[in-house]
């Protein structure tokens, strides 16, 4: 291990360039995966709160466009095995000076999901604010939504960024604001094992609604698939860019060190020894770059999380499985990027050394 | 080990550099190939040392053709050493690490360095020692696996007379211990040390002198 480190120190400038190229690629993969994972995870957590089953308008692509009759929630609540059913309106609107804020109209029984740190639950014409937006707006007494003034009746704290940076009002006001009865129903059960039976019963109530277990809804939710696919594509591009960066830099390194590899070939070291040597050098850079990129990504995510500009909506999530996956990707990136230049190095003809010296 | 080259012809493009060369080299001998630049001595050395395939003709090691020697890298590591005109030591490795690079038995490195008079320089880098010391380290690298033959191409080309004669003395000393040396040089002084002197001109052997 000492020899590769010495070789890297000898070629400091190019080592630094490879390190930077790998760090940027790995950090990009970390960040895009963490941010997309965070968005999915936050929205999933929000839906899962008091919701074992989710009911939406049938065939709708996005919960924001869903419109269902809130009166059905009482029928659902009567179904055997249902502990509680609540309606929720999901919307978004500008709140001066913020261009877009998540607005949630919720039925009375759902207010208990919001832990108030001050004030009381909202009555008509009132709202409660997440602690993040409350701070961003500098402790407002009232806010304007679609030209209507609402009194801030309380502040709640939520670990879910979409809620902590959002505005919650009662279902009536939400309905008036967004011209709909309800977006979704969240149904909690006494016994999760009976979820399939309850889902079937709900689906027979009205042909315009569609019930799914929350897990099944999350798995099939189009928006999540789009976010995940976009994240995978951008991650793959960062991976390819990383490989191309390594290939080009390692090709320059091999060219600079032709004599060294020619000597190794002339003294009988096998091609595999030379390939292993170069792979070991890049692996060392990859390990350092991975650690650096992880620290950098954690720092950037921390900054984003606390940046007022993002209203707490972007909460990157670096899980253990993400760390393990990106580590594997980093090693594969280093190995793939080094392989071609290493094979070229292993084929350097020692004759070139002799021809430099004599006739 | 006996190295034989039979009717070797070699072309670089349309340039005919070796013309029907026949030569036989015994292990433990000190053979000097002398001639002017362009006479073909470096090409012959490269072919004898398995680094270059001749256009036609055959090289055998103990009557075995190169194709019968198995993995040529392994064969070269065990049986052949090289000394180039430039030392070609790897600059980020110490002299000891350079010599140990291909060593089959690392324990022999220190004693070899001592016998070449560079033992005290083991931890130095190539840019921290003199030209003569660098070339001694290069010779140690060639000898570290006690090969049957060491090929040297203009090994004193970058040395002053004193250091050049020191290198020839070393070759003589190790050839007496059983390692064969084949040295291509245009330095006439090598003739005082070699057992066999092969003179080349225009790709042909024009004279063989045995002592």
């Amino acid at each position: 291990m000492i020899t590769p480190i010495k070789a890297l120190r000898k070629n400091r400038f190019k080592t630094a360039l490879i390190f930077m190229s790998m760090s940027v690629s790995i950090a990009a993969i970390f960040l895009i995966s963490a941010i997309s994972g965070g968005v999915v995870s936050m929205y999933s957590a929000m839906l899962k709160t008091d919701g074992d089953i989710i009911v939406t308008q049938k065939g709708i692509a996005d919960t924001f466009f869903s419109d269902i009759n809130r009166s059905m929630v009482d029928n659902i609540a009567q179904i055997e095995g249902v502990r509680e059913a609540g309606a929720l309106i999901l919307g978004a609107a500008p709140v001066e000076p913020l261009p877009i804020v998540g607005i949630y109209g919720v039925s009375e029984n759902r207010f208990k999901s919001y832990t108030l740190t001050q004030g009381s639950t909202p009555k008509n014409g009132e709202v409660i604010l997440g602690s993040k937006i409350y701070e961003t707006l500098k402790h407002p007494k009232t806010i304007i939504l679609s030209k209507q003034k609402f009194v801030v009746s309380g502040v709640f704290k939520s670990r879910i960024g979409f809620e902590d940076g959002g505005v919650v009002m009662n279902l009536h006001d939400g309905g008036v604001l967004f011209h709909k009865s309800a977006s979704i129903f969240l149904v909690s059960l006494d016994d999760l094992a009976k979820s399939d039976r309850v889902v079937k019963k709900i689906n027979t109530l009205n042909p315009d609604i569609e019930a799914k277990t929350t897990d099944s809804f999350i798995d099939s939710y189009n928006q999540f698939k789009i976010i995940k696919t976009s994240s995978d594509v951008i991650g793959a591009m960062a991976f390819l860019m990383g490989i191309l960066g390594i290939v080009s830099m390692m090709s320059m390194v091999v060219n600079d060190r032709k004599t060294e590899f020619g000597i190794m070939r002339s003294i009988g070291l096998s091609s595999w020894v030379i390939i292993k040597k170069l792979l070991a050098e890049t692996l060392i850079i990859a390990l350092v770059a991975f650690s650096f990129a992880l620290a950098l990504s954690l720092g950037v995510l921390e900054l984003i999380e606390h940046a007022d500009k993002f209203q707490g909506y972007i909460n990157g999530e670096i899980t253990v499985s993400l760390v393990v996956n990106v580590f594997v990707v980093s090693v594969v990136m280093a190995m793939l990027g080094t392989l071609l230049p290493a094979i070229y190095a292993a084929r350097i003809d020692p004759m070139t050394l002799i021809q430099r010296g004599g006739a | 080990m006996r190295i034989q080259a039979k009717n070797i012809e070699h072309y670089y493009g349309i340039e005919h550099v070796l013309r029907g060369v026949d030569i036989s080299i015994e292990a433990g001998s000190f053979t000097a190939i002398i001639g002017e630049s362009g006479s073909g001595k470096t090409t012959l050395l490269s072919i004898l040392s398995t680094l270059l395939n001749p256009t036609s003709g055959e090289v055998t090691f103990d009557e075995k053709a190169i194709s019968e020697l198995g993995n040529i890298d392994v064969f070269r590591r065990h049986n052949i050493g090289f000394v180039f005109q430039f030392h070609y030591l790897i600059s980020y490795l110490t002299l000891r690490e350079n010599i140990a690079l291909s060593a089959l038995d690392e324990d022999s490195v220190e004693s070899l360095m001592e016998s070449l008079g560079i033992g005290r320089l083991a931890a130095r880098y190539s840019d921290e020692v003199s030209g003569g010391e660098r070339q001694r380290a290069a010779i140690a690298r060639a000898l570290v696996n006690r090969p049957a033959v060491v090929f040297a191409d203009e090994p004193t080309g970058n040395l002053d007379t004193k250091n050049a004669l020191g290198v020839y003395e070393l070759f003589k000393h190790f050839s007496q211990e059983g390692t064969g040396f084949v040295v291509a040089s245009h330095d006439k002084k090598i003739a005082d040390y070699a057992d066999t002197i092969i003179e080349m001109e225009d790709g042909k052997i024009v004279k063989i002198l045995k002592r």
Side-chain angles (χ1 to χ4, degrees):
Chain A
M1 195 51 83
I2 293 167
T3 306
I5 291 171
K6 281 186 167 185
L8 294 174
R9 286 179 59 190
K10 168 72 180 171
N11 300 283
R12 279 186 193 139
F13 179 64
K14 291 193 177 72
T15 298
L17 289 178
I18 298 170
F19 167 77
M20 283 191 280
S21 164
M22 288 185 80
S23 298
V24 168
S25 298
I26 297 169
I29 295 170
F30 258 132
L31 287 171
I32 191 65
S33 306
I35 289 171
S36 63
V39 167
V40 170
S41 157
M42 270 198 300
Y43 199 53
S44 305
M46 198 171 90
L47 296 176
K48 281 178 179 172
T49 311
D50 295 333
D52 300 320
I53 291 173
I54 184 165
V55 183
T56 62
Q57 185 180 338
K58 193 167 189 175
I60 206 79
D62 191 314
T63 49
F64 277 81
F65 304 129
S66 172
D67 188 3
I68 50 180
N69 191 333
R70 77 176 66 145
S71 64
M72 277 188 291
V73 78
D74 295 328
N75 299 335
I76 292 170
Q78 300 303 315
I79 294 172
E80 189 191 339
V82 172
R83 190 172 69 230
E84 191 173 43
L88 186 64
I89 290 175
L90 303 166
V95 176
E96 193 66 35
L98 304 173
I100 192 89
V101 171
I103 314 288
Y104 310 102
V106 304
S107 50
E108 292 284 334
N109 59 356
R110 223 182 116 73
F111 281 129
K112 64 179 181 299
S113 304
Y114 303 97
T115 310
L116 289 172
T117 55
Q118 55 178 283
S120 57
T121 53
K123 299 180 181 63
N124 284 351
E126 292 180 344
V127 293
I128 53 173
L129 302 183
S131 62
K132 179 73 186 171
I133 193 172
Y134 184 65
E135 292 302 322
T136 305
L137 297 176
K138 299 188 170 50
H139 309 169
K141 301 280 184 217
T142 59
I143 59 167
I144 305 290
L145 285 171
S146 296
K147 297 178 184 171
Q148 294 176 55
K149 185 187 274 187
F150 288 87
V151 174
V152 177
S153 69
V155 179
F156 67 92
K157 180 83 184 156
S158 172
R159 63 182 175 81
I160 301 166
F162 289 139
E163 290 185 335
D164 211 36
V167 175
V168 175
M169 58 181 60
N170 66 38
L171 199 59
H172 171 264
D173 282 353
V176 172
L177 194 65
F178 294 108
H179 310 292
K180 61 172 69 172
S181 183
S183 301
I184 58 174
F185 299 146
L186 294 173
V187 181
S188 56
L189 303 176
D190 293 322
D191 181 4
L192 262 181
K194 293 175 182 166
S195 59
D196 287 344
R197 195 171 56 82
V198 176
V199 163
K200 271 185 193 166
K201 279 205 168 181
I202 296 172
N203 282 333
T204 57
L205 288 178
N206 188 316
D208 296 332
I209 62 171
E210 185 172 28
K212 286 180 181 173
T213 61
T214 310
D215 285 335
S216 143
F217 176 83
I218 288 164
D219 288 344
S220 61
Y221 191 35
N222 252 353
Q223 299 303 320
F224 291 166
K225 285 182 185 168
I226 291 167
I227 292 170
K228 180 81 174 53
T229 306
S230 307
S231 145
D232 288 348
V233 168
I234 296 169
M237 293 306 288
F239 176 73
L240 285 176
M241 291 302 288
I243 288 182
L244 287 177
I246 298 168
V247 169
S248 56
M249 289 311 304
M250 284 306 290
S251 298
M252 288 166 70
V253 167
V254 167
N255 200 44
D256 286 354
R257 292 164 63 185
K258 262 185 173 175
T259 305
E260 178 185 334
F261 301 123
I263 277 291
M264 289 179 174
R265 298 281 289 118
S266 75
I267 61 178
L269 294 181
S270 67
S271 300
W272 177 231
V273 169
I274 294 171
I275 291 171
K276 271 197 303 187
K277 179 179 164 54
L278 283 166
L279 289 177
E281 289 177 21
T282 346
L283 189 60
I284 291 169
I285 303 177
L287 295 178
V288 179
F290 171 80
S291 308
F292 177 76
L294 176 58
L296 180 71
S297 304
L298 288 169
V300 170
L301 290 175
E302 189 69 15
L303 283 177
I304 289 175
E305 192 179 338
H306 292 101
D308 288 344
K309 188 179 176 183
F310 299 114
Q311 299 163 234
Y313 289 172
I314 301 177
N315 280 353
E317 195 179 53
I318 295 186
T319 59
V320 174
S321 71
L322 178 62
V323 171
V324 172
N325 287 341
V326 177
F327 178 78
V328 173
V329 164
S330 307
V331 171
V332 171
M333 186 200 297
M335 298 295 101
L336 287 179
T338 310
L339 206 54
L340 273 180
I343 290 171
Y344 172 72
R347 288 182 177 173
I348 287 173
D349 187 349
M351 271 304 292
T352 54
L353 307 179
I354 292 180
Q355 281 161 348
R356 277 190 225 173
Chain B
M1 178 180 281
R2 186 175 193 216
I3 304 171
Q4 277 192 297
K6 295 168 195 165
N7 197 24
I8 300 292
E9 300 272 344
H10 195 73
Y11 289 82
Y12 288 122
I14 56 166
E15 192 185 354
H16 198 176
V17 287
L18 287 181
R19 300 162 187 265
V21 172
D22 292 295
I23 189 173
S24 178
I25 291 161
E26 299 289 339
S29 66
F30 185 167
T31 304
I33 303 174
I34 59 172
E36 296 299 316
S37 290
S39 60
K41 54 187 189 301
T42 295
T43 304
L44 178 59
L45 201 73
S46 307
I47 288 170
L48 292 174
S49 61
T50 73
L51 290 181
L52 183 65
N53 289 323
T55 308
S56 66
E58 187 184 36
V59 177
T60 58
F61 292 79
D62 285 340
E63 307 297 327
K64 281 186 178 172
I66 290 174
S67 58
E68 297 168 36
L69 297 175
N71 184 318
I72 197 67
D73 290 330
V74 175
F75 175 81
R76 205 184 285 151
R77 189 172 182 184
H78 284 80
N79 296 288
I80 293 175
F82 286 92
V83 180
F84 301 98
Q85 179 174 351
F86 301 104
H87 55 82
Y88 289 134
L89 295 171
I90 297 171
S91 61
Y92 60 81
L93 299 179
T94 63
L95 295 194
R96 191 202 175 281
E97 288 166 340
N98 266 287
I99 294 161
L101 201 59
S102 71
L104 297 166
D105 171 21
E106 280 209 33
D107 294 341
S108 64
V109 174
E110 273 76 21
S111 59
L112 180 63
M113 291 185 79
E114 286 298 337
S115 68
L116 283 157
I118 52 172
R120 70 198 155 79
L121 306 174
R124 300 264 189 96
Y125 291 87
S126 58
D127 58 357
E128 296 171 346
V129 299
S130 70
E133 289 164 339
R134 280 196 282 266
Q135 198 60 319
R136 280 168 184 264
I139 292 167
R141 183 178 59 195
L143 287 166
V144 72
N145 291 328
R146 298 289 171 183
V149 190
V150 170
F151 292 92
D153 184 41
E154 302 283 2
T156 59
N158 286 330
L159 299 178
D160 58 28
T161 307
K162 187 183 165 201
N163 277 309
L165 294 179
V167 167
Y168 296 147
E169 289 283 359
L170 283 173
F171 287 171
K172 185 75 185 168
H173 168 75
F174 282 100
S175 73
Q176 284 164 351
E177 289 192 354
T179 302
F181 282 84
V182 181
V183 182
S185 177
H186 60 259
D187 181 1
K188 296 271 166 51
K189 290 188 197 78
I190 197 171
D192 297 337
Y193 298 87
D195 309 320
T196 306
I197 298 140
I198 297 171
E199 194 173 334
M200 292 192 70
E201 204 176 286
D202 295 331
K204 290 180 187 167
I205 293 174
V206 292
K207 194 191 287 180
I208 298 179
L209 179 65
K210 287 186 183 283
R211 288 172 184 273

